[in-house]
């Protein structure tokens, strides 16, 4: 951390220090959420530090850190942490990159024992790992499974393009996942060599953030880590190579199953100079110019007959190996030429004619608004977010949000368009332009064809951009504010419930959980359940609703008009309602409500927005088909609803045949006429929320009441099967997915059952992980989901899936049978029950300290009081579950004759 070698002031709330052995630490007290802490242990070493015969072993070592150490037996680390309330995955995790390995513990409690246990485990990781040969061999299969899982078309494309940009640098030869032959065959001594050489105190940084006493924490850190000594002399830093000098170039990356995209890139050597004000100013000025270009491209993308589906502009220091400036566009397969031509000409237009002051001022306003919102909410940043930011700033100065805003004001004070234009000239210089086409099928002529298209575009002179007219936000008045005809409070939950004269309902939950944050949710109509079940409808096009904008202005005009506001809107289709959701700051709540009301009362349903979403899904089909996970995610919802068309994703023919008018016909009557239920949660007063809602939603014409309905369209879980439903994927022949699910029932009709189900499913998952992953090394990824509907009576299920090798699918199902038989034949031990229950309870406590929890749990609470009972009983309900309850539940629901099975195999070996 460059806190002492810079002219920028570090965040004074963070206490930085260095031990005598060279290990650095950062400690910060933060009480959001209260009673929790986050520990991050960063080793400044990754795949770049591997020898040729160690490729993949830095990442392998990260896995082995959970396999036993001097003072913790193999298999006990996860169990110890589960007893403390940590969940494997969300709270216990790690990652390995090119230049770092980071271990993460999110502690749900900050009692002395829990915090000391977390620090103890990090100290064990530092120098005490046993790296047992047997455990090493068992973990090989897990690593190989992770390699298969990562190896998607988009991953291969991204890696190939990155390696092209970084040609000549060591990073191109050191992908963190490594080489499969080394993972399969390397002797354990090689990972021990890497451990001894690279896990050294002078390379380590320990970060602790949370509801702790920094002074006491420093004492404990010094006591625990002060005796850590490096083994042997520091390793020789490997040569990182020299970036290959490139002039103009063209290339094609063919990725079967991948999307079509074009990019133009420029690279220059990485600047390793310290983090200073001057360096930040240079970057920020360039960023402002890049943001103008981004806005111009977004405007083009929003128009009818746009040459690309989407476009973006990026700039980053890539793996400390090069500075990269990149313009790219995703396009339809046969329109990449138009996409390339457009991004080239827009880049040359901004380079030749620059930007104008009005464009710069708009981006400054937008950037300032985001920084002001961050500064206003700084006091309630979450502990985990701060810990992650500290990790990512190890090579920079960690500054407070207030300091970030102050620096920005200093940087932009008096900045001119001319200065930004000079920065853009520098940005688009260096090695390049490097033009790349990514496609599933190479065009005839390959890279020569790409070069010809690019040369033809460059031969066309560009003209100065036409000045964009300022746009004003027109949706400020919706009529006479609505009158409140009903108002009541729910004292124990801090809720106020209101009904306006036009039928609109409002539930308000004021909180101080996040300073200056307000979440808004609008539920309209009956969602999927209000649609016919026997015919296809373009539900998948829901993304296009928000992207269509409003009758008076398209989506880009909305962004321009509201540049200084922190507002946004997203539209989703739920089972029992259509939903608009948004997140804003307190001072922008009125504008947020205006925006959502406008989308409700004056939507546009533009054909061009529909077509863009349609093309994204068409482009994704081959990519989805190329992996088991893609096939599962696309087909699973329809399968577990017995083929009900409301949950079934369309095939290529149906997608292609869909028309814009189908999109409008589906959504307009639902949005324009359905009952409206508003929920507002966050840093707002009840009176302000009611007044602003009265001026917006309350002023709309009358809406019908949300009448209770018993017509749920016969939503059914599929019948049990002995032979699994079989689908295929087009990817690698050594990867498959296997899944099973069991029907349970809905959530709200039997809350005690839901608590038992949650714990029983967690026990089942823990056993699958311990046996199929840890003991047998057969799978890296397990997905478990308990989906008990709070919207469809009687419907809900538990779902378990793994990705593994095809030949291990039978073993998965045999293991499932063994676990199920044991659960309904024997009581689980008190320890196993606690290890399942504690992470669930602690996670729930954490969630309850967020606005997101309340906005999710409170929808439709006015018309269904069971939702309030669920909130009240959540924590106590889990505490009442006994081992006997688990056994009865398993006998009822985990019986083999109720299992529904689903397999995805490679098409080549079906």
């Amino acid at each position: 951390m460059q806190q002492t070698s810079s002219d920028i002031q570090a965040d004074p709330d963070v206490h930085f220090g260095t031990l005598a052995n060279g290990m650095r630490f950062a400690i910060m007290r933060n009480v959001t959420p209260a009673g929790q802490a986050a520990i991050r242990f960063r080793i400044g070493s990754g795949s770049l530090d591997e020898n040729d015969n160690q490729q993949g072993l830095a990442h392998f070592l990260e896995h082995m850190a959970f396999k036993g150490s001097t003072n913790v037996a193999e298999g006990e680390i996860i169990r110890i942490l589960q007893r403390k309330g940590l969940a494997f995955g969300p709270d216990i995790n790690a990652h390995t990159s090119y230049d770092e390995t980071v271990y993460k513990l999110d502690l749900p409690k900050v009692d002395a024992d829990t915090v000391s246990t977390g620090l103890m485990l990090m100290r064990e990781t530092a120098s005490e790992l046993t790296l047992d040969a047997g455990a090493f061999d068992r973990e090989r299969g897990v690593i190989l499974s992770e390699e298969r899982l990562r190896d998607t078309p988009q991953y291969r494309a991204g890696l190939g393009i990155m390696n092209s940009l970084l040609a000549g640098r060591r990073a191109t030869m050191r992908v963190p996942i490594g080489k499969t032959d080394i993972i399969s065959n390397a002797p354990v001594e090689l990972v021990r060599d890497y451990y001894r050489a690279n896990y050294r105190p002078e390379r380590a940084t320990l970060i602790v953030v949370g509801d702790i006493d920094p002074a006491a924490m420093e004492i404990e850190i010094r006591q625990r880590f002060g005796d850590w000594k490096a083994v042997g002399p520091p390793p020789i830093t490997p040569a990182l190579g020299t970036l290959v000098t490139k002039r103009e170039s063209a290339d094609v990356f063919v990725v079967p199953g991948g999307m079509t995209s074009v990019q133009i890139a420029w690279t220059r050597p990485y600047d390793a100079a310290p983090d200073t004000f001057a360096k930040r100013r240079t970057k920020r000025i360039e960023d402002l110019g890049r943001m103008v270009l981004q806005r111009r491209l977004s405007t083009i993308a929003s128009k009818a007959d746009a040459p690309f589906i989407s476009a973006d502009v990026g700039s980053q220091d890539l793996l400390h190996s090069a500075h990269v400036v990149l313009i790219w566009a995703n396009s339809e397969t046969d329109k990449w030429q138009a996409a390339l031509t457009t991004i080239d000409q827009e880049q040359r237009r901004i380079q030749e004619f620059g930007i104008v002051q009005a464009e710069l001022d708009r981006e400054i306003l937008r950037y300032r608004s985001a920084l002001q919102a961050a500064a206003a909410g700084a006091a309630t940043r979450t502990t985990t977010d701060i810990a992650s930011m500290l990790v990512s700033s190890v090579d920079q100065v960690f500054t407070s949000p207030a300091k970030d805003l102050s620096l920005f004001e200093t940087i932009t004070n008096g900045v001119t368009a001319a200065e930004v234009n000079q920065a853009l000239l520098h940005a688009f210089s260096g090695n390049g332009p490097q033009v790349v086409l990514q496609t599933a099928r190479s065009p005839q002529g390959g890279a020569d064809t790409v070069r010809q298209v690019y040369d033809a575009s460059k031969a066309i002179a560009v003209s100065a951009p036409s000045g964009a007219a300022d746009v004003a936000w027109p949706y400020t008045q919706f009529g006479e504010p609505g009158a409140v005809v009903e108002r009541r409070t729910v004292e124990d939950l801090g809720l106020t419930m209101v009904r306006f004269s036009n039928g609109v309902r409002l539930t308000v939950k004021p909180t101080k959980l996040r300073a200056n944050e307000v979440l808004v949710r609008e539920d309209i109509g009956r969602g999927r359940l209000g649609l016919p079940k026997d015919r296809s409808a373009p539900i998948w096009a829901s993304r296009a609703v928000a992207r269509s904008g409003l009758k008076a202005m398209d989506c880009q005009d909305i962004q321009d008009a509201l540049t200084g506001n922190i507002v946004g809107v997203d539209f989703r289709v739920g089972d029992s309602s259509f939903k608009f959701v948004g997140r804003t700051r307190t001072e922008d709540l009125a504008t947020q409500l205006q925006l959502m009301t406008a989308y409700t009362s004056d939507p546009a349903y533009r054909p061009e927005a529909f077509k863009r979403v349609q093309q994204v899904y068409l482009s994704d089909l081959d990519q989805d088909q190329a992996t088991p996970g893609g096939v599962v995610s696309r087909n699973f919802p329809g399968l577990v609803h017995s083929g009900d068309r409301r949950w079934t994703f369309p095939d290529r023919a149906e997608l292609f045949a869909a028309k814009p008018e189908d999109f409008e016909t589906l959504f307009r009557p639902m949005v324009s006429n359905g009952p409206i239920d508003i929920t507002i949660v966050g840093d707002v007063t009840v009176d302000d929320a009611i007044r602003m809602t009265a001026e917006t939603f309350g002023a709309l014409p009358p809406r019908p009441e949300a009448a209770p309905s018993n017509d749920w369209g016969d939503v059914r879980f599929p019948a049990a099967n002995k032979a699994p439903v079989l689908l295929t994927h087009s990817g690698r022949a050594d990867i498959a997915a296997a899944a099973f699910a069991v029907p349970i029932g809905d959530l709200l009709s039997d809350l005690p059952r839901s608590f038992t189900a949650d714990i029983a499913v967690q026990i089942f998952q823990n056993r699958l992980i311990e046996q199929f992953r840890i003991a047998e090394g057969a799978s890296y990824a397990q997905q478990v989901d308990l989906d008990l509907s709070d919207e469809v009576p009687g419907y809900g299920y538990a779902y378990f899936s793994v990705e593994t090798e095809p030949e291990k699918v039978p073993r998965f199902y045999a293991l499932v049978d063994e676990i199920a038989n044991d659960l309904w034949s024997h009581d689980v031990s008190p320890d196993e029950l606690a290890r399942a229950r504690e992470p669930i309870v602690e996670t729930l406590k954490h969630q309850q300290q967020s606005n997101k929890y309340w906005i999710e749990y409170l929808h439709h609470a006015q018309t269904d009081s069971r939702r309030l009972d669920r909130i009240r009983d959540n924590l106590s309900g889990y505490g009442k579950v006994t081992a006997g309850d688990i056994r009865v539940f398993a006998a009822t629901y985990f019986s083999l004759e109720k299992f529904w099975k689903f397999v995805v195999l490679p098409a080549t070996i079906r």
Side-chain angles (χ1 to χ4, degrees):
M1 297 182 180
Q2 299 182 7
Q3 320 304 330
T4 59
S5 60
S6 173
D7 56 356
I8 300 174
Q9 179 188 6
D11 188 335
D13 291 333
V14 182
H15 175 54
F16 299 96
T18 305
L19 302 185
N21 59 13
M23 189 190 92
R24 297 178 293 177
F25 61 84
I27 307 169
M28 181 177 178
R29 176 170 170 77
N30 187 67
V31 295
T32 305
Q36 299 180 29
I39 300 176
R40 302 290 184 265
F41 186 46
R42 180 187 185 271
I43 300 293
S45 178
S47 59
L48 288 173
D49 297 287
E50 296 166 342
N51 296 330
D52 288 346
N53 63 350
Q54 293 175 323
Q55 292 180 64
L57 297 191
H59 171 246
F60 208 138
L61 175 57
E62 170 219 309
H63 279 238
M64 294 301 295
F66 299 92
K67 301 295 176 184
S69 60
T70 300
N71 297 296
V72 182
E74 182 186 353
E76 278 302 304
I77 291 179
I78 302 301
R79 293 181 177 184
I80 289 171
L81 292 170
Q82 285 174 334
R83 294 178 190 118
K84 301 294 183 186
L86 282 76
F88 182 52
D91 303 321
I92 309 163
N93 218 320
H95 76 257
T96 303
S97 185
Y98 289 81
D99 59 353
E100 68 175 11
T101 305
V102 181
Y103 298 91
K104 314 169 193 177
L105 295 178
D106 293 339
L107 306 180
K109 295 175 284 191
V110 289
D111 60 280
D113 186 57
T114 298
V115 174
S116 292
T117 298
L119 292 175
M120 178 273 292
L121 292 174
M122 294 304 186
R123 178 62 185 89
E124 292 289 291
T125 300
S127 66
E128 302 303 309
L129 301 182
T130 50
L131 302 178
D132 174 74
F136 185 69
D137 287 338
R138 287 189 292 276
E139 194 67 14
R140 294 183 198 270
V142 177
I143 307 285
L144 293 170
S145 174
E146 184 176 356
E147 185 275 333
R148 292 190 297 268
L149 189 67
R150 290 186 183 187
D151 189 29
T152 66
Q154 286 307 112
Y155 170 81
R156 293 193 293 273
L159 189 60
I161 292 171
M162 185 188 74
N163 287 346
S164 174
L165 293 172
L166 300 183
R169 299 289 277 173
R170 183 177 177 85
T172 62
M173 302 178 288
R174 286 296 185 271
V175 182
I177 196 64
K179 293 187 173 181
T180 55
D181 60 332
I182 292 177
I183 296 168
S184 299
N185 301 303
V188 70
E189 193 56 41
L190 285 177
V191 81
R192 292 171 180 165
D193 290 343
Y194 180 90
Y195 182 47
R196 287 190 291 263
N198 293 289
Y199 278 46
R200 312 171 61 84
E202 68 270 22
R203 290 191 174 190
T205 305
L206 181 69
I207 294 165
V208 184
V209 180
D211 196 353
I212 46 93
D213 175 4
M217 180 58 59
E218 179 177 355
I219 292 172
E220 185 161 5
I221 289 172
R222 291 186 178 279
Q223 290 173 342
R224 285 200 175 274
F225 290 85
D227 64 348
W228 179 18
K229 293 181 174 59
V231 177
I236 298 173
T237 301
L240 297 181
T242 302
L243 193 67
V244 170
T245 300
K246 290 185 178 181
R247 299 187 182 276
E248 183 180 307
S249 63
D251 210 343
V252 177
F253 284 86
V254 178
V255 183
M259 291 183 65
T260 298
S261 66
V262 289
Q263 71 172 42
I264 309 173
W266 295 260
T267 63
R268 58 180 186 263
Y270 168 68
D271 179 6
D275 182 15
T276 62
F277 174 80
K279 188 174 181 180
R280 287 198 186 188
R281 187 180 192 280
T282 298
K283 180 181 184 304
R284 195 67 68 235
I285 298 301
E286 180 182 308
D287 286 346
L288 290 168
R290 180 176 52 79
M291 289 165 66
V292 173
L293 179 56
Q294 175 66 68
R295 189 179 292 263
R296 291 182 183 180
L297 291 172
S298 296
T299 300
I300 293 171
S302 69
K303 303 302 181 184
D305 300 319
F308 38 67
I309 298 170
S310 61
D312 211 341
V313 186
S315 173
Q316 67 170 313
D317 290 322
L318 191 57
L319 303 180
H320 294 184
S321 297
H323 181 78
V324 179
V325 175
L326 191 65
I327 307 171
W328 72 96
N330 296 322
S331 74
E332 298 175 44
T333 302
D334 58 350
K335 292 186 178 179
W336 65 265
Q337 300 93 333
L340 175 57
T341 297
T342 303
I343 63 174
D344 161 60
Q345 293 179 6
E346 289 306 313
Q347 182 273 320
R348 287 191 290 119
R349 194 185 319 280
I350 204 168
Q351 187 166 0
E352 291 183 30
F353 297 99
I355 67 172
V356 297
Q357 192 67 36
E359 290 180 301
L360 174 59
D361 292 344
R362 184 166 55 211
E363 299 310 326
I364 289 175
L365 176 60
R366 175 184 165 196
Y367 213 127
R368 177 185 291 122
S369 297
L371 292 174
Q372 288 173 336
T380 52
R381 291 173 293 170
T382 66
T383 286
T384 52
D385 284 348
I386 295 172
S388 297
M389 288 188 289
L390 278 163
V391 169
S392 64
S393 70
V394 162
D395 297 319
Q396 300 173 336
V397 179
F398 183 80
T399 46
S400 68
K403 184 64 175 179
D404 291 338
L405 176 60
S406 173
L407 288 171
F408 180 79
E409 298 292 15
T410 303
I411 288 169
T412 56
N413 182 29
V415 69
T416 64
E419 184 178 4
V420 174
N421 291 336
Q422 283 299 119
L424 286 172
L425 289 176
H426 180 63
F428 300 123
S429 66
N431 296 321
Q434 301 174 47
V435 182
V436 173
L437 167 66
Q438 176 195 315
T439 179
R441 292 176 296 279
S442 178
Q444 187 173 4
D448 288 341
T449 298
V450 175
R451 182 183 294 276
Q452 290 167 10
V453 171
Y454 185 57
D455 288 344
S457 175
K458 290 195 303 175
I460 301 172
V462 294
S463 58
S466 56
D470 289 338
V471 289
W473 176 242
Y475 293 96
T476 57
Q477 301 294 325
F478 297 90
E480 191 69 23
V484 174
V485 297
E486 180 184 346
R487 175 170 175 165
R488 58 192 173 94
T489 58
V490 182
E491 296 290 347
D492 63 321
L493 297 178
L495 309 177
T496 299
M497 295 179 171
V498 166
R499 183 168 59 86
F500 294 97
S501 56
N502 64 350
V504 170
R505 293 180 181 273
L506 167 67
T507 299
V508 185
K509 166 72 175 175
T511 80
K512 294 295 183 181
L513 297 171
R514 301 288 184 274
N516 207 37
E517 177 188 80
V518 184
L519 304 185
V520 185
R521 170 169 169 163
E522 174 191 6
D523 288 272
I524 314 175
R526 293 190 61 210
R528 282 189 177 87
L529 294 170
L531 302 176
K533 64 174 294 186
D534 57 349
R535 62 179 184 270
S536 178
I539 299 171
W540 50 268
S542 59
R543 288 191 206 172
V545 173
R547 297 182 186 186
S548 289
L550 305 165
K551 286 183 179 178
M553 52 190 359
D554 64 20
C555 199
Q556 189 60 47
D557 283 342
I558 294 172
Q559 292 183 27
D560 291 346
L562 301 178
T563 293
N565 303 95
I566 304 297
V567 295
V569 66
D570 191 16
F571 180 77
R572 304 165 189 170
V573 177
D575 287 353
S576 66
S577 68
F578 298 96
K579 296 176 281 188
F580 284 107
V581 294
R583 177 180 179 272
T584 187
R585 56 184 177 178
T586 304
E587 57 263 44
D588 287 332
L589 177 57
T591 306
Q592 177 68 46
L593 289 167
Q594 291 168 8
L595 177 64
M596 295 173 73
T597 306
Y599 266 102
T600 305
S601 61
D602 203 32
Y605 304 106
R606 285 184 166 82
E608 56 267 28
F610 169 82
K611 290 177 181 177
R612 278 202 307 278
V613 171
Q614 183 183 41
Q615 286 303 322
V616 168
Y617 279 119
L618 285 167
S619 299
D620 283 347
L621 284 177
D622 287 339
Q623 182 174 303
D624 290 343
Q625 190 60 35
T627 64
V631 173
V632 170
S633 63
R634 190 176 69 208
N635 291 278
F636 183 76
L639 289 171
V640 293
H641 289 88
S642 299
D644 191 316
R645 300 301 295 272
R646 294 171 293 186
W647 284 270
T648 302
F649 195 80
D651 60 21
R652 188 182 301 275
E654 289 176 303
L655 271 176
F656 192 79
K659 299 291 188 291
E661 51 266 32
D662 303 331
F663 158 63
E664 182 169 0
T665 299
L666 171 64
F667 290 112
R668 182 177 291 282
M670 304 291 180
V671 172
S672 299
N673 303 315
I676 295 177
D677 190 338
I678 307 296
T679 309
I680 298 177
V681 175
D683 193 358
V684 64
T685 66
V686 171
D687 289 344
D688 282 346
I690 293 174
R691 174 179 53 80
M692 294 176 192
T693 307
E695 294 168 348
T696 50
F697 288 103
L700 295 178
R703 292 284 179 127
E705 286 285 332
S709 173
N710 294 319
D711 178 17
W712 301 108
D714 189 26
V715 180
R716 292 180 294 107
F717 190 82
N721 54 15
K722 290 187 177 180
V725 173
L726 175 60
L727 295 178
T728 62
H729 68 87
S730 61
R732 292 172 49 157
D734 59 352
I735 186 169
F740 80 96
V742 292
I744 293 175
D746 68 276
L747 176 72
L748 297 174
S749 67
D750 190 344
L751 286 173
R753 179 182 62 189
S754 74
F755 302 132
T756 304
D758 212 352
I759 295 175
V761 166
Q762 186 61 58
I763 291 170
F764 208 118
Q765 179 184 13
N766 289 348
R767 291 192 181 188
L768 274 175
I769 291 172
E770 290 177 359
Q771 187 61 39
F772 202 62
R773 172 175 171 157
I774 296 175
E776 301 180 18
S779 176
Y780 170 74
Q782 299 85 33
Q783 180 181 349
V784 176
D785 185 24
L786 178 65
D787 189 350
L788 307 183
S789 178
D790 63 350
E791 300 174 313
V792 185
Y795 185 83
Y797 58 86
Y799 166 70
F800 306 80
S801 74
V802 297
E803 296 205 29
T804 188
E805 295 171 277
E807 59 269 24
K808 293 180 180 176
V809 169
R811 170 56 187 153
F812 167 72
Y813 285 121
L815 178 60
V816 164
D817 290 353
E818 292 171 16
I819 295 172
N821 276 313
D822 187 72
L823 286 176
W824 51 260
S825 299
H826 305 94
D827 283 349
V828 297
S829 69
D831 180 63
E832 186 173 23
L833 180 61
R835 288 191 294 108
R837 180 183 6 233
E838 289 307 308
I840 293 171
V841 170
E842 295 301 334
T843 297
L844 181 59
K845 289 179 181 177
H846 175 86
Q847 291 172 340
Q848 288 178 335
Q849 296 187 61
S850 71
N851 291 325
K852 185 178 178 182
Y853 169 89
W854 292 98
I855 203 79
E856 182 64 30
Y857 273 61
L858 287 174
H859 76 280
H860 291 155
Q862 288 198 38
T863 53
D864 189 345
S865 62
R866 296 177 302 172
R867 297 178 184 275
L868 302 181
D869 293 335
R870 178 190 179 196
I871 296 172
R872 295 183 178 108
D873 297 342
N874 250 354
L875 287 174
S876 61
Y878 289 110
K880 297 174 183 177
V881 177
T882 66
D885 294 331
I886 298 297
R887 186 170 177 180
V888 170
F889 180 90
T892 304
Y893 299 103
F894 289 159
S895 55
L896 308 185
E897 64 273 11
K898 293 186 177 181
F899 286 1
W900 173 83
K901 301 175 182 178
F902 171 39
V903 172
V904 182
L905 295 176
T908 54
I909 65 167
R910 175 173 177 173

